[in-house]
Amino acid sequence: MKKLLNTLYITSPDKYLALDGENVVVLYENKEAVRFPLHGLEAIVTSGYTGASPALMGACAKRDISLCFMTQNGKFLARVTGEVKGNVILRKMQYRYSDDEIQSSCIAKNFLIGKIYNSKWIVERAKRDYAIRLDTQKLKLKSQQLSACLKQVMQAGNLEQLRGIEGEAAKVYFSVFDDLILQQKEDFYFHERNRRPPLDNVNALLSFIYSLTANCCTSALEAVGLDPYVGFMHRDRPGRASLALDLMEELRPSLADKFVLTLINKRIIGKEGFFTKENGTVEMKDEVRKQVLKSWQTKKTEVITHPFLEEKVEWGIVPYVQALLLARFIRGDIEEYPPFLWKT
């Protein structure tokens, strides 16, 4: 099993990354601020505007360390990758599956089953744990509607139908997302999903964590030899990691959404960590972004029992495990791709 290494997050926009021997050096105003050995890293995610040296980019590519550039509010900009690795036969099979709508639909079904099942679990868990504080009848109705969406997924015959069901399930799920926010209700409210740009604190958090999750999925797919840019449910679009978006669908509720709710409900972050720009865009301040990333790293080290493998793994390894299972299915080693169906 893959070992979970550290991810280095650079949140300040005025930091420059350089290479010194076997170390990544973070420079501020041309002076060394801190350094980290490369051998302990699996990824570097930077929100800086000044960039990184070509020498460091080459060292990261050579060592399979993901180097990802993002904006301050978490929007993906670019990734540095080295030589394409993996089994060429596996990728050729992936491309054939992607070109075949029937095969693509079969795989997309399982991604959606995972997403809707995990969304239903989030609602059911809230109904169980906070029965006194929440409208349990309302949550029960939404859970039943999500169950109906699961049945529709089973019966869907093409990608267009699946996308329609996915949209309806997301509408049902997000219609009660505000109910799941139990603390700081005046400052953290959710009326609808908006992302380009995020217009409230909750959407700003969701967009940021979704970007981090997508980056994890992209790295995982590359690690097992799949092409993260050729998807099954998300179709080809230049510059979009479509398969990474496919893979992260089932992880949105159980990993990303649950994490965001925890940050708010446990008061790990507060309203003072956000600001609104003139155009209405809500962004996080540097200090709260650092706190979010620190909590995210802690979350990734939590050990769970994988529902399919029935083995102990860290949350940070789950995208890799799912990517590996997808690769095994495409190779023909297993009969069907098993979605991540999380329940505690």
Side-chain angles (χ1 to χ4, degrees):
M1 183 62 67
K2 179 181 172 69
K3 181 181 179 181
L4 182 64
L5 299 177
N6 294 316
T7 299
L8 173 62
Y9 293 98
I10 308 298
T11 59
S12 301
D14 49 3
K15 298 295 192 300
Y16 184 79
L17 303 179
L19 180 69
D20 182 18
E22 292 295 311
N23 300 284
V24 53
V25 180
V26 182
L27 301 175
Y28 175 66
E29 294 183 347
N30 294 322
K31 295 181 180 180
E32 179 178 329
V34 66
R35 65 171 56 210
F36 300 92
L38 288 173
H39 67 78
L41 298 175
E42 69 174 5
I44 300 173
V45 179
T46 176
S47 302
Y49 300 137
T50 50
S53 71
L56 178 63
M57 293 182 190
C60 289
K62 182 179 179 181
R63 294 164 176 78
D64 292 327
I65 298 173
S66 170
L67 178 54
C68 178
F69 297 91
M70 304 173 74
T71 66
Q72 285 291 95
N73 61 357
K75 182 181 178 182
F76 172 82
L77 292 175
R79 286 170 55 87
V80 174
T81 58
E83 294 183 23
V84 175
K85 296 181 174 62
N87 190 331
V88 64
I89 298 175
L90 172 63
R91 291 205 174 198
K92 289 177 72 174
M93 285 299 299
Q94 176 190 353
Y95 300 150
R96 293 191 188 106
Y97 275 38
S98 180
D99 287 338
D100 187 325
E101 180 159 335
I102 295 177
Q103 291 280 14
S104 292
S105 297
C106 290
I107 300 174
K109 276 187 180 183
N110 285 8
F111 289 138
L112 281 186
I113 287 171
K115 179 179 183 177
I116 298 173
Y117 177 95
N118 292 328
S119 298
K120 176 180 166 66
W121 170 79
I122 292 288
V123 175
E124 285 288 334
R125 178 70 182 268
K127 180 168 69 74
R128 183 191 75 188
D129 293 349
Y130 305 104
I132 297 177
R133 303 179 61 179
L134 297 176
D135 184 345
T136 55
Q137 286 302 115
K138 177 182 178 182
L139 295 179
K140 182 179 179 180
L141 175 61
K142 299 302 178 180
S143 179
Q144 291 172 345
Q145 291 174 346
L146 289 171
S147 294
C149 289
L150 278 173
K151 293 179 181 178
Q152 293 173 20
V153 169
M154 303 287 193
Q155 300 167 356
N158 56 56
L159 289 172
E160 184 177 354
Q161 291 177 354
L162 287 173
R163 293 191 188 100
I165 298 167
E166 190 274 337
E168 180 60 30
K171 182 178 179 181
V172 171
Y173 171 65
F174 280 124
S175 71
V176 291
F177 198 78
D178 188 65
D179 298 62
L180 308 183
I181 300 171
L182 305 174
Q183 302 290 337
Q184 309 182 82
K185 294 289 288 187
E186 292 186 3
D187 304 312
F188 292 91
Y189 50 83
F190 184 90
H191 299 319
E192 62 178 356
R193 180 76 180 110
N194 48 70
R195 56 195 178 115
R196 295 176 181 171
L199 301 176
D200 56 64
N201 296 345
V202 177
N203 273 290
L205 275 171
L206 286 172
S207 292
F208 186 62
I209 299 303
Y210 287 166
S211 293
L212 295 178
T213 306
N215 187 55
C216 291
C217 290
T218 301
S219 298
L221 291 164
E222 289 176 341
V224 302
L226 289 169
D227 188 337
Y229 290 87
V230 178
F232 303 108
M233 184 169 67
H234 292 83
R235 307 309 286 172
D236 297 348
R237 182 184 297 176
R240 182 173 74 176
S242 296
L243 186 56
L245 296 180
D246 284 352
L247 190 68
M248 74 174 284
E249 289 297 339
E250 56 199 281
L251 299 179
R252 285 179 188 262
S254 53
L255 178 58
D257 296 350
K258 187 67 169 61
F259 175 72
V260 167
L261 290 171
T262 298
L263 289 175
I264 299 169
N265 290 336
K266 289 191 175 182
R267 298 180 179 273
I268 296 172
I269 58 170
K271 65 175 182 178
E272 64 279 357
F274 298 82
F275 68 95
T276 304
K277 300 174 69 174
E278 291 183 1
N279 65 354
T281 301
V282 175
E283 293 187 3
M284 286 183 283
K285 297 178 181 178
D286 282 349
E287 53 268 27
V288 77
R289 187 180 294 107
K290 291 176 182 177
Q291 180 60 55
V292 169
L293 291 171
K294 181 180 177 180
S295 299
W296 178 248
Q297 284 295 90
T298 301
K299 176 68 177 179
K300 286 167 62 178
T301 62
E302 291 180 7
V303 177
I304 64 169
T305 299
H306 191 277
F308 179 76
L309 298 180
E310 297 183 348
E311 294 180 8
K312 298 288 187 181
V313 298
E314 298 101 333
W315 263 116
I317 295 295
V318 171
Y320 172 80
V321 173
Q322 294 306 118
L324 188 62
L325 291 170
L326 179 60
R328 288 177 179 174
F329 165 69
I330 292 174
R331 284 198 303 261
D333 298 337
I334 54 178
E335 293 184 358
E336 191 173 12
Y337 168 70
F340 181 78
L341 305 178
W342 181 236
K343 188 175 182 179
T344 59

